[in-house]
Short mmCIF file of all heavy atoms in Angstrom, two decimals:
data_model
loop_
_atom_site.label_atom_id
_atom_site.label_comp_id
_atom_site.label_asym_id
_atom_site.label_seq_id
_atom_site.Cartn_x
_atom_site.Cartn_y
_atom_site.Cartn_z
N HIS A 1 62.86 -5.34 25.18
CA HIS A 1 64.14 -4.85 25.74
C HIS A 1 64.47 -3.45 25.22
O HIS A 1 65.63 -3.12 24.99
CB HIS A 1 65.28 -5.82 25.45
CG HIS A 1 65.05 -7.19 25.99
ND1 HIS A 1 65.11 -7.47 27.33
CD2 HIS A 1 64.73 -8.35 25.38
CE1 HIS A 1 64.84 -8.74 27.52
NE2 HIS A 1 64.59 -9.30 26.35
N TYR A 2 63.43 -2.63 25.05
CA TYR A 2 63.65 -1.27 24.55
C TYR A 2 64.56 -0.51 25.51
O TYR A 2 64.36 -0.49 26.72
CB TYR A 2 62.33 -0.52 24.40
CG TYR A 2 62.53 0.88 23.89
CD1 TYR A 2 62.65 1.12 22.54
CD2 TYR A 2 62.65 1.95 24.77
CE1 TYR A 2 62.86 2.40 22.05
CE2 TYR A 2 62.85 3.23 24.30
CZ TYR A 2 62.96 3.45 22.94
OH TYR A 2 63.18 4.72 22.47
N GLY A 3 65.57 0.12 24.95
CA GLY A 3 66.49 0.92 25.73
C GLY A 3 67.71 0.17 26.19
O GLY A 3 68.60 0.74 26.82
N SER A 4 67.81 -1.12 25.87
CA SER A 4 68.98 -1.89 26.32
C SER A 4 70.21 -1.58 25.49
O SER A 4 71.33 -1.81 25.93
CB SER A 4 68.69 -3.40 26.27
OG SER A 4 68.41 -3.81 24.94
N THR A 5 70.02 -1.05 24.28
CA THR A 5 71.14 -0.64 23.44
C THR A 5 70.82 0.68 22.77
O THR A 5 69.67 1.12 22.75
CB THR A 5 71.42 -1.68 22.32
OG1 THR A 5 70.37 -1.62 21.37
CG2 THR A 5 71.57 -3.08 22.86
N SER A 6 71.81 1.27 22.17
CA SER A 6 71.60 2.52 21.45
C SER A 6 70.84 2.29 20.14
O SER A 6 70.39 3.24 19.51
CB SER A 6 72.94 3.19 21.17
OG SER A 6 73.76 2.33 20.40
N GLU A 7 70.68 1.04 19.75
CA GLU A 7 69.98 0.71 18.51
C GLU A 7 68.46 0.75 18.64
O GLU A 7 67.75 0.69 17.64
CB GLU A 7 70.40 -0.70 18.04
CG GLU A 7 71.89 -0.84 17.79
CD GLU A 7 72.37 0.05 16.66
OE1 GLU A 7 71.70 0.08 15.61
OE2 GLU A 7 73.40 0.71 16.84
N SER A 8 67.93 0.82 19.85
CA SER A 8 66.49 0.75 20.07
C SER A 8 65.74 1.80 19.27
O SER A 8 64.71 1.51 18.65
CB SER A 8 66.17 0.91 21.56
OG SER A 8 66.65 -0.18 22.29
N ASP A 9 66.22 3.02 19.26
CA ASP A 9 65.51 4.09 18.53
C ASP A 9 65.61 3.90 17.02
O ASP A 9 64.68 4.24 16.29
CB ASP A 9 66.04 5.45 18.94
CG ASP A 9 65.59 5.84 20.33
OD1 ASP A 9 64.45 5.49 20.70
OD2 ASP A 9 66.38 6.47 21.05
N TYR A 10 66.72 3.34 16.55
CA TYR A 10 66.85 3.08 15.11
C TYR A 10 65.87 1.99 14.67
O TYR A 10 65.26 2.10 13.61
CB TYR A 10 68.28 2.67 14.77
CG TYR A 10 69.28 3.77 14.99
CD1 TYR A 10 70.28 3.64 15.95
CD2 TYR A 10 69.22 4.95 14.26
CE1 TYR A 10 71.19 4.65 16.17
CE2 TYR A 10 70.12 5.98 14.48
CZ TYR A 10 71.11 5.82 15.42
OH TYR A 10 72.00 6.82 15.64
N ILE A 11 65.74 0.96 15.47
CA ILE A 11 64.80 -0.11 15.16
C ILE A 11 63.38 0.44 15.17
O ILE A 11 62.58 0.16 14.28
CB ILE A 11 64.95 -1.28 16.16
CG1 ILE A 11 66.32 -1.93 15.98
CG2 ILE A 11 63.83 -2.29 15.99
CD1 ILE A 11 66.68 -2.90 17.08
N LEU A 12 63.07 1.25 16.17
CA LEU A 12 61.75 1.85 16.28
C LEU A 12 61.43 2.72 15.06
O LEU A 12 60.29 2.75 14.59
CB LEU A 12 61.64 2.66 17.56
CG LEU A 12 60.30 3.33 17.84
CD1 LEU A 12 59.19 2.29 17.95
CD2 LEU A 12 60.39 4.14 19.12
N ALA A 13 62.41 3.40 14.53
CA ALA A 13 62.19 4.26 13.36
C ALA A 13 61.91 3.44 12.10
O ALA A 13 61.20 3.90 11.21
CB ALA A 13 63.41 5.14 13.14
N ASP A 14 62.43 2.22 12.04
CA ASP A 14 62.29 1.39 10.84
C ASP A 14 61.10 0.44 10.87
O ASP A 14 60.65 -0.01 9.82
CB ASP A 14 63.56 0.57 10.62
CG ASP A 14 64.72 1.43 10.16
OD1 ASP A 14 64.48 2.53 9.64
OD2 ASP A 14 65.87 1.00 10.34
N ILE A 15 60.62 0.10 12.05
CA ILE A 15 59.57 -0.90 12.17
C ILE A 15 58.37 -0.30 12.91
O ILE A 15 58.52 0.21 14.02
CB ILE A 15 60.08 -2.14 12.95
CG1 ILE A 15 61.27 -2.76 12.23
CG2 ILE A 15 58.97 -3.15 13.15
CD1 ILE A 15 61.94 -3.86 13.01
N PRO A 16 57.19 -0.37 12.33
CA PRO A 16 56.00 0.12 13.05
C PRO A 16 55.63 -0.88 14.15
O PRO A 16 55.35 -2.04 13.86
CB PRO A 16 54.93 0.19 11.96
CG PRO A 16 55.36 -0.81 10.94
CD PRO A 16 56.86 -0.86 11.00
N VAL A 17 55.66 -0.45 15.38
CA VAL A 17 55.36 -1.35 16.49
C VAL A 17 54.08 -0.91 17.20
O VAL A 17 53.71 0.26 17.18
CB VAL A 17 56.53 -1.42 17.51
CG1 VAL A 17 57.79 -1.95 16.85
CG2 VAL A 17 56.80 -0.08 18.15
N ASP A 18 53.42 -1.90 17.80
CA ASP A 18 52.21 -1.64 18.58
C ASP A 18 52.53 -1.56 20.07
O ASP A 18 51.85 -0.86 20.82
CB ASP A 18 51.19 -2.76 18.35
CG ASP A 18 50.86 -2.92 16.88
OD1 ASP A 18 50.35 -1.95 16.30
OD2 ASP A 18 51.13 -4.00 16.32
N TYR A 19 53.54 -2.32 20.48
CA TYR A 19 53.92 -2.42 21.89
C TYR A 19 55.42 -2.25 22.02
O TYR A 19 56.18 -2.68 21.16
CB TYR A 19 53.56 -3.80 22.46
CG TYR A 19 52.11 -4.14 22.40
CD1 TYR A 19 51.57 -4.78 21.29
CD2 TYR A 19 51.25 -3.82 23.45
CE1 TYR A 19 50.23 -5.10 21.23
CE2 TYR A 19 49.91 -4.14 23.39
CZ TYR A 19 49.40 -4.78 22.28
OH TYR A 19 48.08 -5.10 22.21
N ILE A 20 55.80 -1.65 23.14
CA ILE A 20 57.20 -1.61 23.51
C ILE A 20 57.31 -2.12 24.94
O ILE A 20 56.65 -1.62 25.84
CB ILE A 20 57.79 -0.19 23.42
CG1 ILE A 20 57.97 0.20 21.96
CG2 ILE A 20 59.12 -0.10 24.17
CD1 ILE A 20 58.61 1.54 21.74
N LYS A 21 58.15 -3.13 25.09
CA LYS A 21 58.45 -3.65 26.42
C LYS A 21 59.79 -3.07 26.84
O LYS A 21 60.82 -3.32 26.20
CB LYS A 21 58.50 -5.18 26.39
CG LYS A 21 58.71 -5.80 27.74
CD LYS A 21 58.60 -7.31 27.63
CE LYS A 21 58.85 -7.99 28.94
NZ LYS A 21 58.73 -9.46 28.78
N LEU A 22 59.76 -2.25 27.86
CA LEU A 22 60.99 -1.62 28.34
C LEU A 22 61.98 -2.67 28.81
O LEU A 22 61.60 -3.75 29.25
CB LEU A 22 60.68 -0.67 29.50
CG LEU A 22 59.74 0.49 29.19
CD1 LEU A 22 59.37 1.23 30.46
CD2 LEU A 22 60.36 1.43 28.17
N ASP A 23 63.23 -2.35 28.73
CA ASP A 23 64.24 -3.25 29.26
C ASP A 23 64.11 -3.32 30.78
O ASP A 23 63.85 -2.30 31.43
CB ASP A 23 65.64 -2.77 28.87
CG ASP A 23 66.70 -3.78 29.22
OD1 ASP A 23 66.71 -4.84 28.57
OD2 ASP A 23 67.48 -3.53 30.15
N GLY A 24 64.28 -4.50 31.32
CA GLY A 24 64.15 -4.70 32.76
C GLY A 24 65.11 -3.88 33.60
O GLY A 24 64.87 -3.64 34.78
N SER A 25 66.20 -3.43 33.01
CA SER A 25 67.17 -2.64 33.76
C SER A 25 66.56 -1.32 34.26
O SER A 25 66.96 -0.82 35.31
CB SER A 25 68.41 -2.35 32.91
OG SER A 25 68.08 -1.57 31.79
N TYR A 26 65.59 -0.78 33.53
CA TYR A 26 64.94 0.44 33.99
C TYR A 26 64.23 0.22 35.32
O TYR A 26 64.33 1.04 36.23
CB TYR A 26 63.92 0.96 32.96
CG TYR A 26 64.54 1.54 31.72
CD1 TYR A 26 64.33 0.95 30.49
CD2 TYR A 26 65.33 2.68 31.78
CE1 TYR A 26 64.89 1.49 29.34
CE2 TYR A 26 65.90 3.22 30.65
CZ TYR A 26 65.68 2.61 29.42
OH TYR A 26 66.24 3.14 28.30
N LEU A 27 63.52 -0.89 35.45
CA LEU A 27 62.81 -1.18 36.69
C LEU A 27 63.77 -1.50 37.82
O LEU A 27 63.58 -1.07 38.96
CB LEU A 27 61.82 -2.34 36.49
CG LEU A 27 60.51 -1.96 35.81
CD1 LEU A 27 59.65 -1.11 36.71
CD2 LEU A 27 60.62 -1.41 34.45
N ARG A 28 64.81 -2.25 37.50
CA ARG A 28 65.83 -2.57 38.51
C ARG A 28 66.48 -1.29 39.03
O ARG A 28 66.61 -1.08 40.24
CB ARG A 28 66.87 -3.51 37.91
CG ARG A 28 67.92 -3.97 38.92
CD ARG A 28 69.06 -4.74 38.28
NE ARG A 28 69.78 -3.87 37.34
CZ ARG A 28 69.92 -4.13 36.06
NH1 ARG A 28 69.41 -5.20 35.51
NH2 ARG A 28 70.59 -3.30 35.28
N ASP A 29 66.87 -0.40 38.12
CA ASP A 29 67.53 0.84 38.52
C ASP A 29 66.57 1.78 39.25
O ASP A 29 66.98 2.49 40.18
CB ASP A 29 68.12 1.55 37.30
CG ASP A 29 69.30 0.78 36.70
OD1 ASP A 29 69.81 -0.15 37.35
OD2 ASP A 29 69.69 1.13 35.57
N LEU A 30 65.31 1.77 38.87
CA LEU A 30 64.31 2.58 39.56
C LEU A 30 64.17 2.10 41.01
O LEU A 30 64.11 2.90 41.93
CB LEU A 30 62.98 2.49 38.83
CG LEU A 30 61.90 3.50 39.19
CD1 LEU A 30 62.36 4.92 38.90
CD2 LEU A 30 60.63 3.19 38.40
N ASN A 31 64.17 0.80 41.21
CA ASN A 31 64.09 0.23 42.56
C ASN A 31 65.31 0.53 43.40
O ASN A 31 65.22 0.70 44.61
CB ASN A 31 63.89 -1.28 42.51
CG ASN A 31 62.48 -1.65 42.14
OD1 ASN A 31 61.56 -0.86 42.33
ND2 ASN A 31 62.31 -2.84 41.60
N ARG A 32 66.46 0.59 42.77
CA ARG A 32 67.71 0.87 43.49
C ARG A 32 67.99 2.35 43.65
O ARG A 32 69.03 2.75 44.17
CB ARG A 32 68.88 0.23 42.73
CG ARG A 32 68.85 -1.27 42.71
CD ARG A 32 70.01 -1.80 41.95
NE ARG A 32 69.99 -3.25 41.90
CZ ARG A 32 70.74 -3.99 41.13
NH1 ARG A 32 71.61 -3.40 40.30
NH2 ARG A 32 70.65 -5.29 41.13
N ASN A 33 67.08 3.17 43.14
CA ASN A 33 67.22 4.63 43.17
C ASN A 33 68.42 5.13 42.38
O ASN A 33 68.91 6.22 42.63
CB ASN A 33 67.27 5.15 44.61
CG ASN A 33 65.97 4.93 45.33
OD1 ASN A 33 64.90 5.10 44.74
ND2 ASN A 33 66.04 4.54 46.58
N SER A 34 68.91 4.32 41.43
CA SER A 34 69.97 4.81 40.56
C SER A 34 69.38 5.39 39.26
O SER A 34 70.13 5.90 38.43
CB SER A 34 70.97 3.69 40.24
OG SER A 34 70.33 2.59 39.65
N LEU A 35 68.06 5.32 39.14
CA LEU A 35 67.33 5.96 38.05
C LEU A 35 66.15 6.69 38.69
O LEU A 35 65.40 6.09 39.47
CB LEU A 35 66.82 4.92 37.05
CG LEU A 35 65.98 5.44 35.89
CD1 LEU A 35 66.87 6.17 34.88
CD2 LEU A 35 65.26 4.30 35.20
N SER A 36 66.00 7.95 38.38
CA SER A 36 64.89 8.71 38.96
C SER A 36 63.64 8.55 38.10
O SER A 36 63.71 8.19 36.92
CB SER A 36 65.25 10.19 39.06
OG SER A 36 65.29 10.79 37.79
N THR A 37 62.51 8.83 38.70
CA THR A 37 61.25 8.81 37.97
C THR A 37 61.31 9.80 36.81
O THR A 37 60.83 9.52 35.71
CB THR A 37 60.09 9.16 38.91
OG1 THR A 37 60.10 8.25 40.00
CG2 THR A 37 58.76 9.08 38.20
N ARG A 38 61.93 10.93 37.03
CA ARG A 38 62.06 11.95 35.98
C ARG A 38 62.90 11.44 34.80
O ARG A 38 62.58 11.70 33.64
CB ARG A 38 62.70 13.21 36.56
CG ARG A 38 62.65 14.38 35.62
CD ARG A 38 63.12 15.61 36.30
NE ARG A 38 62.12 15.93 37.33
CZ ARG A 38 61.92 17.12 37.84
NH1 ARG A 38 62.67 18.11 37.45
NH2 ARG A 38 61.01 17.33 38.74
N GLN A 39 63.96 10.68 35.10
CA GLN A 39 64.78 10.13 34.02
C GLN A 39 64.00 9.09 33.22
O GLN A 39 64.08 9.08 31.99
CB GLN A 39 66.05 9.49 34.60
CG GLN A 39 67.04 10.50 35.14
CD GLN A 39 68.15 9.83 35.92
OE1 GLN A 39 67.90 8.98 36.78
NE2 GLN A 39 69.39 10.19 35.62
N LEU A 40 63.25 8.24 33.90
CA LEU A 40 62.43 7.25 33.20
C LEU A 40 61.36 7.95 32.37
O LEU A 40 61.09 7.55 31.24
CB LEU A 40 61.80 6.26 34.18
CG LEU A 40 60.95 5.16 33.56
CD1 LEU A 40 61.73 4.37 32.53
CD2 LEU A 40 60.40 4.25 34.65
N GLU A 41 60.78 8.99 32.91
CA GLU A 41 59.77 9.75 32.17
C GLU A 41 60.35 10.32 30.88
O GLU A 41 59.69 10.32 29.84
CB GLU A 41 59.22 10.86 33.04
CG GLU A 41 58.10 11.64 32.40
CD GLU A 41 57.54 12.71 33.31
OE1 GLU A 41 58.26 13.20 34.20
OE2 GLU A 41 56.36 13.05 33.13
N SER A 42 61.60 10.77 30.91
CA SER A 42 62.21 11.32 29.69
C SER A 42 62.44 10.24 28.64
O SER A 42 62.44 10.52 27.45
CB SER A 42 63.52 12.05 30.02
OG SER A 42 64.51 11.13 30.41
N VAL A 43 62.61 9.00 29.07
CA VAL A 43 62.77 7.89 28.13
C VAL A 43 61.44 7.55 27.46
O VAL A 43 61.38 7.32 26.26
CB VAL A 43 63.33 6.64 28.85
CG1 VAL A 43 63.27 5.41 27.96
CG2 VAL A 43 64.75 6.88 29.34
N ILE A 44 60.36 7.53 28.25
CA ILE A 44 59.08 7.08 27.70
C ILE A 44 58.24 8.19 27.07
O ILE A 44 57.32 7.89 26.32
CB ILE A 44 58.26 6.32 28.76
CG1 ILE A 44 57.86 7.23 29.91
CG2 ILE A 44 58.99 5.10 29.24
CD1 ILE A 44 56.90 6.59 30.89
N ARG A 45 58.55 9.43 27.34
CA ARG A 45 57.76 10.55 26.79
C ARG A 45 57.63 10.48 25.26
O ARG A 45 56.52 10.56 24.74
CB ARG A 45 58.34 11.89 27.22
CG ARG A 45 57.48 13.08 26.82
CD ARG A 45 58.05 14.41 27.28
NE ARG A 45 58.31 14.41 28.70
CZ ARG A 45 59.52 14.60 29.25
NH1 ARG A 45 60.58 14.82 28.49
NH2 ARG A 45 59.68 14.57 30.56
N PRO A 46 58.74 10.29 24.51
CA PRO A 46 58.60 10.22 23.06
C PRO A 46 57.77 9.01 22.60
O PRO A 46 57.08 9.08 21.58
CB PRO A 46 60.03 10.10 22.54
CG PRO A 46 60.91 10.42 23.69
CD PRO A 46 60.13 10.25 24.93
#
């Protein structure tokens, strides 16, 4: 559920992770065109 709260980046900084499962809201919003591909790219780039 990465990105579901503002705490996601803090958790990521404290715990070494191998995988990140994005929050489903990103895919839902991408399908509804309320999130652009460019906006999603800015989330996953780091």
Side-chain angles (χ1 to χ4, degrees):
H1 302 288
Y2 180 84
S4 62
T5 70
S6 59
E7 301 296 314
S8 294
D9 288 324
Y10 294 116
I11 294 169
L12 181 60
D14 289 339
I15 300 172
V17 299
D18 304 299
Y19 300 90
I20 287 183
K21 183 174 179 180
L22 299 172
D23 189 69
S25 63
Y26 288 116
L27 281 290
R28 183 188 63 239
D29 292 347
L30 194 61
N31 284 337
R32 293 180 181 168
N33 294 321
S34 58
L35 177 74
S36 71
T37 304
R38 190 173 292 204
Q39 289 169 312
L40 181 56
E41 184 178 27
S42 70
V43 170
I44 64 172
R45 187 179 306 120

